[in-house]
Amino acid sequence: MTENTQKPKANTLWGGRFEGGVSDIMEKINASIDFDKILYRQDIQGSIEHCKMLVETGIITNEDGQSIQDGLTQIEQEITEGNFEFSAELEDIHMNVEARLTEIIGATAGRLHTARSRNDQVATDFKLYVRDACDQADEALKALQIALINIAEENADVIMPGFTHLQSAQPVTFGHHMMAYFEMFTRDRGRFQDARKRLNECPLGAAALAGTSFPIDRHQTAKALGFDGPTANSMDSVSDRDHALEFMSAAAISAVHVSRLAEEIVTWSCAQFNFIQMSDSFTTGSSIMPQKRNPDAAELCRGKSGRIIGSLNSLLITMKGLALTFSKDMQEDKEATFDAVETYSLIIAAMTGMVEDMKVNPEQMRKATDLGFITATDLADWVVRVLGLPFRQAHHITGSLVAMAEKKGGDLDGLTLEEMQTIEPLITDDVFNVLSVDKSVASRVSFGGTAPSEVLKQVESAKKRIG
Ligand code: ARG
């Protein structure tokens, strides 16, 4: 049980009006330092730029500004080198840094917080963090796209069954199937790029919520921190967490794409399908069944995507009941976002590795097209094209031919012309030209279609589009 003892002293950074300290439980529920310490670089960068601006606007002296900046630089080094002692009593990264600055340079440290609040400070730090996360996601997705392009190009003419309802539908090429995922990840990159554009306004200088009476220059700090400009409304600035929500929405959608590919990898790599073989780097064995080769990395990509969706939900639910402006509930934004960023980066890296290492079994894929009367649509299209019948009627004739082949125990091209003519007397020998999977695939030359020639066009266009 946690002891609910009273701390003897009030907090030195905000405790002016307090007589006693907080209880242990209060300290525990209040502290975010265990997780927000990863924002130290952003926090110090923001403070340095704020300090420079305070000097340039004459709000603090050059001398004080210099010693604050030197102190902050020293603290950054201490944290980077692991020589910094974080304290839960000091709640968060902002107060830990400021307290240490006071130790190093004395009371002058207190001037840094002029015209600033932790509310605009944390919003700025967090935006800088999410902005980096968007850039990293974009880069990681590009690497995954390159892996997909490569495997698609190598397998542009490898024929496999295409499925709907996980039933054999029409023959497609493996390259085509891989390029479908390329498109999903292109849209994902667009979402991260959009989110980045929208978040790139700087909240610093919004202060607690109302702005400040000091003659600050918000344009200067915004520019120095790489933002397009300052946020337009100080109340929105400190209460907005859309950047994290947008990042996680984009990550959740993208994780769903990863999860679908992971699901296919799991299916394709089982002995019954055997379409692909996963490399040793991304599989594990079983402690009891020596023959096993488990696609754990794919399963974990599928599993972890749920966690990212959960993080998005968690922050949406946190935000939905909050009146303007800042409420401490918002401190809950961080663990969800940090976890989503890390989990997302891990699953994209794992998926990239899996695609790069994947061995394709073209014979098995082709063999699988022997099942399921996969060229039935080609037959129906032939009836329309050559015999001039309406498609609905052609569909019906083909259905009867499939039933006949099924009864006979073979595929459609195992029927003789005479057998076919018992169903539709006008059918000619020419029909056998469309019943092979090669011809079926080669005929799908519509824009974006599965013919190898089209897949190679998609690959060429993809190479240009990845940027
Ligand atoms: N640790 C807080 C957070 O993560 C910083 C902002 C605190 N502001 C305040 N008024 N208590 O959101």
Side-chain angles (χ1 to χ4, degrees):
M1 244 183 75
T2 321
E3 273 177 49
N4 192 2
T5 49
Q6 290 294 313
K7 293 265 156 202
K9 273 209 266 135
N11 186 298
T12 50
L13 293 172
W14 49 246
R17 62 160 292 183
F18 289 79
E19 282 171 12
V22 300
S23 74
D24 284 349
I25 292 173
M26 180 57 201
E27 185 176 298
K28 203 165 173 191
I29 197 171
N30 201 29
S32 55
I33 188 63
D34 278 351
F35 45 87
D36 70 16
K37 61 183 168 203
I38 73 164
L39 294 175
Y40 81 93
R41 277 184 208 282
Q42 289 85 352
D43 194 67
I44 290 172
Q45 191 191 1
S47 289
I48 288 178
E49 294 309 332
H50 180 67
C51 177
K52 285 185 188 163
M53 181 277 292
L54 292 177
V55 170
E56 273 175 50
T57 49
I59 297 169
I60 65 171
T61 65
N62 200 12
E63 202 190 346
D64 285 348
Q66 201 48 57
S67 73
I68 289 171
Q69 284 173 57
D70 291 346
L72 288 169
T73 308
Q74 179 184 328
I75 294 169
E76 181 167 10
Q77 199 175 337
E78 288 174 1
I79 300 178
T80 303
E81 289 168 358
N83 297 324
F84 190 96
E85 214 171 296
F86 291 102
S87 144
E89 215 175 319
L90 291 163
E91 286 182 39
D92 55 25
I93 186 62
H94 325 296
M95 299 217 289
N96 269 267
V97 170
E98 193 181 325
R100 177 69 186 131
L101 188 63
T102 309
E103 274 175 18
I104 301 172
I105 67 167
T108 304
R111 297 194 186 280
L112 172 61
H113 216 51
T114 316
R116 187 178 77 168
S117 149
R118 271 190 295 159
N119 295 349
D120 59 335
Q121 190 179 354
V122 73
T124 306
D125 295 1
F126 202 35
K127 272 193 164 183
L128 289 170
Y129 172 87
V130 174
R131 191 172 73 185
D132 282 349
C134 287
D135 291 342
Q136 282 155 18
D138 185 64
E139 218 171 282
L141 280 170
K142 184 176 170 182
L144 175 53
Q145 286 187 309
I146 291 171
L148 287 166
I149 289 176
N150 289 339
I151 201 167
E153 191 167 25
E154 280 161 31
N155 296 282
D157 57 358
V158 168
I159 293 172
M160 69 182 287
F163 300 94
T164 61
H165 316 267
L166 202 57
Q167 306 280 317
S168 282
Q170 292 178 353
V172 296
T173 51
F174 186 66
H176 195 217
H177 201 132
M178 291 289 102
M179 288 309 286
Y181 284 101
F182 173 90
E183 293 302 325
M184 295 176 225
F185 296 124
T186 301
R187 293 193 294 274
D188 294 344
R189 286 180 70 188
R191 272 182 278 271
F192 285 117
Q193 288 160 8
D194 285 350
R196 189 202 197 282
K197 263 184 231 146
R198 233 179 331 273
L199 75 72
N200 209 28
E201 292 179 344
C202 185
L204 196 59
L209 76 163
T212 176
S213 56
F214 289 98
I216 58 170
D217 183 352
R218 292 193 59 207
H219 292 272
Q220 178 186 325
T221 40
K223 190 164 174 230
L225 293 169
F227 289 101
D228 297 331
T231 46
N233 179 302
S234 64
M235 293 181 74
D236 175 51
S237 312
V238 294
S239 55
D240 162 39
R241 290 296 180 271
D242 288 3
H243 41 284
L245 290 172
E246 283 202 47
F247 175 88
M248 287 196 279
S249 307
I253 294 172
S254 184
V256 167
H257 297 150
V258 171
S259 185
R260 294 182 76 174
L261 179 50
E263 164 65 14
E264 304 221 69
I265 288 174
V266 171
T267 310
W268 291 342
S269 62
C270 79
Q272 287 70 18
F273 267 79
N274 194 22
F275 283 4
I276 56 168
Q277 193 177 18
M278 300 303 291
S279 77
D280 290 354
S281 327
F282 292 100
T283 45
T284 63
S286 155
S287 53
I288 179 168
M289 298 163 283
Q291 85 285 9
K292 293 273 282 214
R293 195 184 175 81
N294 296 328
D296 293 39
E299 292 167 277
L300 285 163
C301 283
R302 195 175 55 189
K304 284 179 189 292
S305 67
R307 205 163 128 174
I308 295 172
I309 296 165
S311 294
L312 168 64
N313 267 324
S314 151
L315 185 56
L316 284 168
I317 294 163
T318 298
M319 296 305 293
K320 78 178 195 54
L322 301 184
L324 300 190
T325 53
F326 180 85
S327 294
K328 202 61 175 267
D329 315 44
M330 287 163 65
Q331 183 166 284
E332 292 294 308
D333 58 3
K334 290 184 203 58
E335 283 162 294
T337 307
F338 296 160
D339 190 70
V341 168
E342 274 162 38
T343 305
Y344 181 72
S345 136
L346 186 58
I347 66 171
I348 296 294
M351 186 49 80
T352 305
M354 282 189 277
V355 174
E356 279 169 353
D357 284 12
M358 188 186 289
K359 269 218 186 65
V360 179
N361 297 339
E363 303 76 33
Q364 276 298 123
M365 289 189 184
R366 172 175 277 269
K367 226 166 109 194
T369 63
D370 293 347
L371 305 168
F373 310 102
I374 204 159
T375 53
T377 314
D378 298 86
L379 174 52
D381 285 351
W382 181 90
V383 172
V384 170
R385 208 171 43 241
V386 179
L387 304 187
L389 297 179
F391 184 78
R392 285 291 158 223
Q393 209 174 323
H395 185 283
H396 194 79
I397 292 168
T398 308
S400 308
L401 289 167
V402 165
M404 179 184 264
E406 197 166 31
K407 224 184 254 161
K408 201 178 166 191
D411 205 348
L412 283 169
D413 58 2
L415 294 175
T416 63
L417 181 61
E418 293 69 35
E419 283 168 331
M420 290 193 193
Q421 284 171 341
T422 63
I423 300 226
E424 172 49 62
L426 295 175
I427 292 180
T428 66
D429 245 357
D430 181 54
V431 76
F432 292 102
N433 286 327
V434 300
L435 294 182
S436 84
V437 290
D438 297 274
K439 289 200 171 120
S440 166
V441 159
S443 72
R444 297 292 192 283
V445 289
S446 53
F447 184 85
T450 206
S453 57
E454 280 307 307
V455 173
L456 288 175
K457 278 186 211 162
Q458 289 168 41
V459 163
E460 284 321 307
S461 129
K463 283 180 187 170
K464 285 190 202 119
R465 284 191 284 145
I466 52 172

